[in-house]
Amino acid sequence: MPGSHLPLLEEGMARWPFGPPNAGIALDFTGAPPALDELRALVEERWKALPRLTQTLVAPGARAGLAWWTGRHRWARADGHALGRQVDGVDDTLRDAVRQWFHTPFPADRPPWGLHLLRGSAQGEFSLLFRMHHSLLDGRSLTTLLRALFDDGRPLDGAASLAVPGPRRRTARAARAAGGPPGLLRAGRPVPLPQQGAREPAYALVGLRSDVLRAAREAAQGRAATTNEVFLAAVSGVLRSRLPEHDAHPGPDGVPRPVWLSVPVDERPDDCGEFLGNAFANVRVPAPVTLADPAARLTACTGLLTTVTRARSASERLVEGTLAALPGATMALAGGKIFAPAYAPAACSYVHLREQGQTLAGRPLRGLNIVPMVPPAGTATFALGGCTQGHTLSVATNSGGQDATLLAEAFLTELAALAEWGWDRAPSDTGRG
C-alpha cells in the first residue's frame, strides 16, 4: 500500500547484497511489433486502476548510518504518474537487455518497473519484457499483469490488486522425504559450481524440446509426473553431477546432510488471486542427489512439493512481526546463513501461462522467458518459463562468467536422460509405440 513500510520479504529484497534486485519476464511473439503508441494506450487502459504501479521506493537512510540498520524502506505515492511513460522500445535482444539493465538500479524518482519492446531473436519476431525491482512484484503478479494485455484481457481491478492475503494462506506441506521442513537456519551441503570464467553474474537461456519434456514426464513410477516435478528432478541431477564422486552417496551412518532446493510457493488463497505485490514464501525441499538412477530421482520428486490453504498460527505471525521490526539487524544476523551455498545451492522457479491461443494485438504468443535476480555468490537459479507453445529454461549464476551456460547444458543432458527412461517405458506402461 502506498506510504506503508515494506513487509519483511520485500525489505529483504530491497537490501539484496549481490546486485540490484531486478527481475523480469519476457514474452516472445511472432509477427511485426505493435507501435509504441498502441502499446502505451493498452497499458494505460488495462493497468490504469493499479496503485502499485505508481509508487516509488524510498530508502531508510544512508547505507552507513544507523537508520539503514534500524529503519525500513517504504513506498511513496507518485499520483498522476502516467503509466505510458514506463513503456519504451529498444533495439536490443533479451540477452542484450539482461547485460545492460539487470545490473543497473532503477532511478529513485520513478516507479521501479518498465515495459520494453525488444527486437526478437529472428526476423518476424519481437519480445515484450517487463522488468521490475523484486520488492514491487512477484512472478504471479507479472503473469496477472501480462495476461491483462492480451487480446482477450480486461482492465484489472484496483481493489482486487490491493487484497493482501490475510491469515489464511497457501503453504507447502512438509516434505516427506526429509521428515519435515528444515529449521529456518539449518544448513545442508554446498554444491561446487564450475567457476569458469571471470567471477561475475551470468545468464543463459535455452529452449526445451516439447517431445523430450513429454517423454521425461513418463519416467516416474506409478503415474506421469508434472512438469514441475521433472524440473526439480533434472536440477537435482545437475547438482549430483557437480558433487565429488564420493560425496554423492550416503555417509557411513547412511544419513548425509541434504542438498536443499529453494522453491518459491505462491501464498495467495483463491480469493486473492489478483493481488499485486509479493505473496510467496521460499520453501526448501531436499534434492535426491544420493540416487544414481534419473527415474528414481524423478519418483523421489513426485509429490515432493504440495500446497494446502490454512491459517497461519499465532507463533508464525509473532516471529514474522518480530523479524520485520528490525530488518537491518535481521538481515545482518541471518545473511551469512541464508545466502550461503550450503543453505540452498540452487533455487528453482516455474512460471507458466496455460491459456491456449494468446495474442497481443493479433500477434501469437510463442514463448515465455524468466530473468531472475542475481543469485547469492556460489549458487545458481534455475527458472522454467512455460506456455502452451513450449518451455524455456533460464539459468542465472554469480560464480563464473561461463557457469550459467554450462549448467544449462547440464540440465538439457539430465532432461534427455529422463526422456530416455520415458521412451523405454512407453510401450508397456503407456501404450505408446
mmCIF file of all heavy atoms in Angstrom, residues 398-427:
data_model
loop_
_atom_site.group_PDB
_atom_site.id
_atom_site.type_symbol
_atom_site.label_atom_id
_atom_site.label_comp_id
_atom_site.label_asym_id
_atom_site.label_seq_id
_atom_site.Cartn_x
_atom_site.Cartn_y
_atom_site.Cartn_z
ATOM 1 N N ASN A 398 26.309 -16.540 -10.169
ATOM 2 C CA ASN A 398 27.101 -15.429 -9.659
ATOM 3 C C ASN A 398 28.468 -15.959 -9.240
ATOM 4 O O ASN A 398 28.988 -15.606 -8.186
ATOM 5 C CB ASN A 398 26.381 -14.781 -8.470
ATOM 6 C CG ASN A 398 26.951 -13.423 -8.109
ATOM 7 O OD1 ASN A 398 27.823 -12.900 -8.789
ATOM 8 N ND2 ASN A 398 26.457 -12.856 -7.016
ATOM 9 N N SER A 399 29.022 -16.836 -10.073
ATOM 10 C CA SER A 399 30.271 -17.513 -9.715
ATOM 11 C C SER A 399 31.316 -17.413 -10.821
ATOM 12 O O SER A 399 32.485 -17.148 -10.556
ATOM 13 C CB SER A 399 29.990 -18.988 -9.395
ATOM 14 O OG SER A 399 29.208 -19.586 -10.425
ATOM 15 N N GLY A 400 30.908 -17.629 -12.057
ATOM 16 C CA GLY A 400 31.820 -17.548 -13.189
ATOM 17 C C GLY A 400 31.069 -17.168 -14.434
ATOM 18 O O GLY A 400 29.900 -17.555 -14.611
ATOM 19 N N GLY A 401 31.701 -16.423 -15.327
ATOM 20 C CA GLY A 401 31.035 -15.910 -16.499
ATOM 21 C C GLY A 401 30.488 -16.977 -17.435
ATOM 22 O O GLY A 401 29.575 -16.708 -18.211
ATOM 23 N N GLN A 402 31.033 -18.204 -17.375
ATOM 24 C CA GLN A 402 30.566 -19.284 -18.243
ATOM 25 C C GLN A 402 29.633 -20.260 -17.521
ATOM 26 O O GLN A 402 29.104 -21.191 -18.134
ATOM 27 C CB GLN A 402 31.773 -20.058 -18.793
ATOM 28 C CG GLN A 402 32.739 -19.210 -19.598
ATOM 29 C CD GLN A 402 33.981 -20.004 -19.994
ATOM 30 O OE1 GLN A 402 33.921 -21.203 -20.230
ATOM 31 N NE2 GLN A 402 35.117 -19.326 -20.046
ATOM 32 N N ASP A 403 29.441 -20.065 -16.217
ATOM 33 C CA ASP A 403 28.745 -21.077 -15.424
ATOM 34 C C ASP A 403 27.284 -21.256 -15.812
ATOM 35 O O ASP A 403 26.766 -22.383 -15.832
ATOM 36 C CB ASP A 403 28.837 -20.733 -13.940
ATOM 37 C CG ASP A 403 30.209 -21.029 -13.360
ATOM 38 O OD1 ASP A 403 31.132 -21.292 -14.152
ATOM 39 O OD2 ASP A 403 30.365 -20.992 -12.129
ATOM 40 N N ALA A 404 26.586 -20.169 -16.117
ATOM 41 C CA ALA A 404 25.176 -20.286 -16.457
ATOM 42 C C ALA A 404 24.985 -21.158 -17.700
ATOM 43 O O ALA A 404 24.112 -22.025 -17.735
ATOM 44 C CB ALA A 404 24.573 -18.898 -16.672
ATOM 45 N N THR A 405 25.822 -20.950 -18.715
ATOM 46 C CA THR A 405 25.726 -21.759 -19.934
ATOM 47 C C THR A 405 26.059 -23.219 -19.654
ATOM 48 O O THR A 405 25.368 -24.136 -20.141
ATOM 49 C CB THR A 405 26.669 -21.193 -21.010
ATOM 50 O OG1 THR A 405 26.245 -19.869 -21.345
ATOM 51 C CG2 THR A 405 26.663 -22.061 -22.254
ATOM 52 N N LEU A 406 27.091 -23.469 -18.864
ATOM 53 C CA LEU A 406 27.475 -24.846 -18.547
ATOM 54 C C LEU A 406 26.379 -25.575 -17.780
ATOM 55 O O LEU A 406 26.089 -26.751 -18.051
ATOM 56 C CB LEU A 406 28.780 -24.850 -17.752
ATOM 57 C CG LEU A 406 30.025 -24.383 -18.510
ATOM 58 C CD1 LEU A 406 31.212 -24.237 -17.557
ATOM 59 C CD2 LEU A 406 30.360 -25.354 -19.639
ATOM 60 N N LEU A 407 25.750 -24.895 -16.836
ATOM 61 C CA LEU A 407 24.682 -25.538 -16.070
ATOM 62 C C LEU A 407 23.430 -25.739 -16.919
ATOM 63 O O LEU A 407 22.715 -26.736 -16.750
ATOM 64 C CB LEU A 407 24.359 -24.704 -14.834
ATOM 65 C CG LEU A 407 25.461 -24.631 -13.772
ATOM 66 C CD1 LEU A 407 25.041 -23.714 -12.633
ATOM 67 C CD2 LEU A 407 25.820 -26.010 -13.237
ATOM 68 N N ALA A 408 23.142 -24.821 -17.834
ATOM 69 C CA ALA A 408 22.005 -25.003 -18.740
ATOM 70 C C ALA A 408 22.224 -26.230 -19.629
ATOM 71 O O ALA A 408 21.303 -27.011 -19.866
ATOM 72 C CB ALA A 408 21.798 -23.750 -19.582
ATOM 73 N N GLU A 409 23.444 -26.400 -20.120
ATOM 74 C CA GLU A 409 23.750 -27.578 -20.930
ATOM 75 C C GLU A 409 23.628 -28.858 -20.109
ATOM 76 O O GLU A 409 23.133 -29.886 -20.603
ATOM 77 C CB GLU A 409 25.157 -27.446 -21.515
ATOM 78 C CG GLU A 409 25.276 -26.329 -22.561
ATOM 79 C CD GLU A 409 26.715 -26.064 -22.960
ATOM 80 O OE1 GLU A 409 27.639 -26.599 -22.295
ATOM 81 O OE2 GLU A 409 26.934 -25.316 -23.938
ATOM 82 N N ALA A 410 24.054 -28.809 -18.847
ATOM 83 C CA ALA A 410 23.936 -29.981 -17.985
ATOM 84 C C ALA A 410 22.466 -30.315 -17.729
ATOM 85 O O ALA A 410 22.089 -31.497 -17.662
ATOM 86 C CB ALA A 410 24.658 -29.730 -16.662
ATOM 87 N N PHE A 411 21.617 -29.293 -17.617
ATOM 88 C CA PHE A 411 20.180 -29.535 -17.443
ATOM 89 C C PHE A 411 19.604 -30.258 -18.655
ATOM 90 O O PHE A 411 18.817 -31.203 -18.514
ATOM 91 C CB PHE A 411 19.459 -28.210 -17.223
ATOM 92 C CG PHE A 411 17.979 -28.361 -16.993
ATOM 93 C CD1 PHE A 411 17.465 -28.414 -15.714
ATOM 94 C CD2 PHE A 411 17.084 -28.439 -18.066
ATOM 95 C CE1 PHE A 411 16.096 -28.556 -15.496
ATOM 96 C CE2 PHE A 411 15.726 -28.587 -17.863
ATOM 97 C CZ PHE A 411 15.227 -28.637 -16.573
ATOM 98 N N LEU A 412 19.986 -29.827 -19.854
ATOM 99 C CA LEU A 412 19.493 -30.499 -21.060
ATOM 100 C C LEU A 412 19.916 -31.961 -21.086
ATOM 101 O O LEU A 412 19.153 -32.844 -21.511
ATOM 102 C CB LEU A 412 20.008 -29.782 -22.308
ATOM 103 C CG LEU A 412 19.514 -28.350 -22.523
ATOM 104 C CD1 LEU A 412 20.123 -27.757 -23.786
ATOM 105 C CD2 LEU A 412 17.991 -28.290 -22.595
ATOM 106 N N THR A 413 21.130 -32.254 -20.617
ATOM 107 C CA THR A 413 21.603 -33.641 -20.544
ATOM 108 C C THR A 413 20.746 -34.451 -19.576
ATOM 109 O O THR A 413 20.356 -35.591 -19.873
ATOM 110 C CB THR A 413 23.075 -33.671 -20.104
ATOM 111 O OG1 THR A 413 23.872 -32.987 -21.072
ATOM 112 C CG2 THR A 413 23.581 -35.105 -19.968
ATOM 113 N N GLU A 414 20.449 -33.880 -18.399
ATOM 114 C CA GLU A 414 19.627 -34.579 -17.412
ATOM 115 C C GLU A 414 18.209 -34.792 -17.921
ATOM 116 O O GLU A 414 17.603 -35.847 -17.707
ATOM 117 C CB GLU A 414 19.608 -33.798 -16.097
ATOM 118 C CG GLU A 414 20.940 -33.712 -15.397
ATOM 119 C CD GLU A 414 21.453 -35.066 -14.940
ATOM 120 O OE1 GLU A 414 20.618 -35.945 -14.626
ATOM 121 O OE2 GLU A 414 22.683 -35.244 -14.902
ATOM 122 N N LEU A 415 17.651 -33.799 -18.601
ATOM 123 C CA LEU A 415 16.304 -33.941 -19.155
ATOM 124 C C LEU A 415 16.270 -35.036 -20.215
ATOM 125 O O LEU A 415 15.324 -35.840 -20.269
ATOM 126 C CB LEU A 415 15.854 -32.610 -19.747
ATOM 127 C CG LEU A 415 14.414 -32.542 -20.245
ATOM 128 C CD1 LEU A 415 13.434 -32.730 -19.090
ATOM 129 C CD2 LEU A 415 14.151 -31.206 -20.948
ATOM 130 N N ALA A 416 17.315 -35.102 -21.045
ATOM 131 C CA ALA A 416 17.382 -36.148 -22.071
ATOM 132 C C ALA A 416 17.475 -37.532 -21.435
ATOM 133 O O ALA A 416 16.890 -38.503 -21.943
ATOM 134 C CB ALA A 416 18.578 -35.897 -22.993
ATOM 135 N N ALA A 417 18.205 -37.634 -20.321
ATOM 136 C CA ALA A 417 18.312 -38.922 -19.633
ATOM 137 C C ALA A 417 16.956 -39.369 -19.097
ATOM 138 O O ALA A 417 16.598 -40.557 -19.173
ATOM 139 C CB ALA A 417 19.333 -38.825 -18.501
ATOM 140 N N LEU A 418 16.171 -38.432 -18.570
ATOM 141 C CA LEU A 418 14.823 -38.773 -18.121
ATOM 142 C C LEU A 418 13.942 -39.175 -19.296
ATOM 143 O O LEU A 418 13.143 -40.113 -19.198
ATOM 144 C CB LEU A 418 14.199 -37.581 -17.390
ATOM 145 C CG LEU A 418 14.680 -37.317 -15.965
ATOM 146 C CD1 LEU A 418 14.177 -35.969 -15.477
ATOM 147 C CD2 LEU A 418 14.227 -38.429 -15.028
ATOM 148 N N ALA A 419 14.077 -38.479 -20.415
ATOM 149 C CA ALA A 419 13.272 -38.808 -21.590
ATOM 150 C C ALA A 419 13.573 -40.215 -22.095
ATOM 151 O O ALA A 419 12.663 -40.935 -22.545
ATOM 152 C CB ALA A 419 13.514 -37.783 -22.689
ATOM 153 N N GLU A 420 14.832 -40.629 -22.030
ATOM 154 C CA GLU A 420 15.186 -41.993 -22.451
ATOM 155 C C GLU A 420 14.431 -43.020 -21.623
ATOM 156 O O GLU A 420 13.927 -44.014 -22.143
ATOM 157 C CB GLU A 420 16.688 -42.205 -22.319
ATOM 158 C CG GLU A 420 17.510 -41.481 -23.379
ATOM 159 C CD GLU A 420 17.209 -41.986 -24.783
ATOM 160 O OE1 GLU A 420 16.911 -43.189 -24.947
ATOM 161 O OE2 GLU A 420 17.250 -41.174 -25.720
ATOM 162 N N TRP A 421 14.337 -42.783 -20.311
ATOM 163 C CA TRP A 421 13.566 -43.691 -19.456
ATOM 164 C C TRP A 421 12.094 -43.661 -19.852
ATOM 165 O O TRP A 421 11.434 -44.705 -19.892
ATOM 166 C CB TRP A 421 13.714 -43.275 -17.991
ATOM 167 C CG TRP A 421 14.956 -43.805 -17.340
ATOM 168 C CD1 TRP A 421 16.182 -43.226 -17.311
ATOM 169 C CD2 TRP A 421 15.081 -45.041 -16.637
ATOM 170 N NE1 TRP A 421 17.074 -44.012 -16.630
ATOM 171 C CE2 TRP A 421 16.423 -45.145 -16.194
ATOM 172 C CE3 TRP A 421 14.201 -46.071 -16.323
ATOM 173 C CZ2 TRP A 421 16.899 -46.224 -15.477
ATOM 174 C CZ3 TRP A 421 14.669 -47.158 -15.594
ATOM 175 C CH2 TRP A 421 16.004 -47.227 -15.179
ATOM 176 N N GLY A 422 11.582 -42.470 -20.153
ATOM 177 C CA GLY A 422 10.184 -42.373 -20.535
ATOM 178 C C GLY A 422 9.881 -43.088 -21.834
ATOM 179 O O GLY A 422 8.871 -43.788 -21.960
ATOM 180 N N TRP A 423 10.759 -42.931 -22.829
ATOM 181 C CA TRP A 423 10.556 -43.614 -24.106
ATOM 182 C C TRP A 423 10.671 -45.126 -23.946
ATOM 183 O O TRP A 423 9.918 -45.880 -24.563
ATOM 184 C CB TRP A 423 11.569 -43.103 -25.130
ATOM 185 C CG TRP A 423 11.175 -41.791 -25.751
ATOM 186 C CD1 TRP A 423 9.923 -41.444 -26.190
ATOM 187 C CD2 TRP A 423 12.014 -40.664 -25.992
ATOM 188 N NE1 TRP A 423 9.943 -40.158 -26.690
ATOM 189 C CE2 TRP A 423 11.204 -39.655 -26.595
ATOM 190 C CE3 TRP A 423 13.374 -40.410 -25.787
ATOM 191 C CZ2 TRP A 423 11.727 -38.424 -26.969
ATOM 192 C CZ3 TRP A 423 13.873 -39.175 -26.153
ATOM 193 C CH2 TRP A 423 13.069 -38.189 -26.732
ATOM 194 N N ASP A 424 11.607 -45.575 -23.112
ATOM 195 C CA ASP A 424 11.750 -47.016 -22.896
ATOM 196 C C ASP A 424 10.525 -47.600 -22.214
ATOM 197 O O ASP A 424 10.149 -48.752 -22.457
ATOM 198 C CB ASP A 424 12.988 -47.304 -22.027
ATOM 199 C CG ASP A 424 14.287 -47.058 -22.776
ATOM 200 O OD1 ASP A 424 14.234 -46.958 -24.021
ATOM 201 O OD2 ASP A 424 15.348 -46.948 -22.127
ATOM 202 N N ARG A 425 9.904 -46.800 -21.357
ATOM 203 C CA ARG A 425 8.755 -47.288 -20.593
ATOM 204 C C ARG A 425 7.462 -47.166 -21.381
ATOM 205 O O ARG A 425 6.471 -47.837 -21.075
ATOM 206 C CB ARG A 425 8.663 -46.477 -19.297
ATOM 207 C CG ARG A 425 7.686 -47.010 -18.282
ATOM 208 C CD ARG A 425 7.918 -46.332 -16.938
ATOM 209 N NE ARG A 425 9.138 -46.839 -16.335
ATOM 210 C CZ ARG A 425 9.793 -46.239 -15.343
ATOM 211 N NH1 ARG A 425 9.335 -45.106 -14.877
ATOM 212 N NH2 ARG A 425 10.879 -46.758 -14.838
ATOM 213 N N ALA A 426 7.453 -46.344 -22.417
ATOM 214 C CA ALA A 426 6.203 -46.012 -23.104
ATOM 215 C C ALA A 426 5.463 -47.214 -23.667
ATOM 216 O O ALA A 426 4.255 -47.327 -23.462
ATOM 217 C CB ALA A 426 6.490 -45.002 -24.217
ATOM 218 N N PRO A 427 6.092 -48.175 -24.391
ATOM 219 C CA PRO A 427 5.299 -49.239 -24.999
ATOM 220 C C PRO A 427 4.529 -50.079 -23.997
ATOM 221 O O PRO A 427 3.364 -50.421 -24.207
ATOM 222 C CB PRO A 427 6.360 -50.078 -25.726
ATOM 223 C CG PRO A 427 7.476 -49.118 -25.983
ATOM 224 C CD PRO A 427 7.484 -48.225 -24.783
#
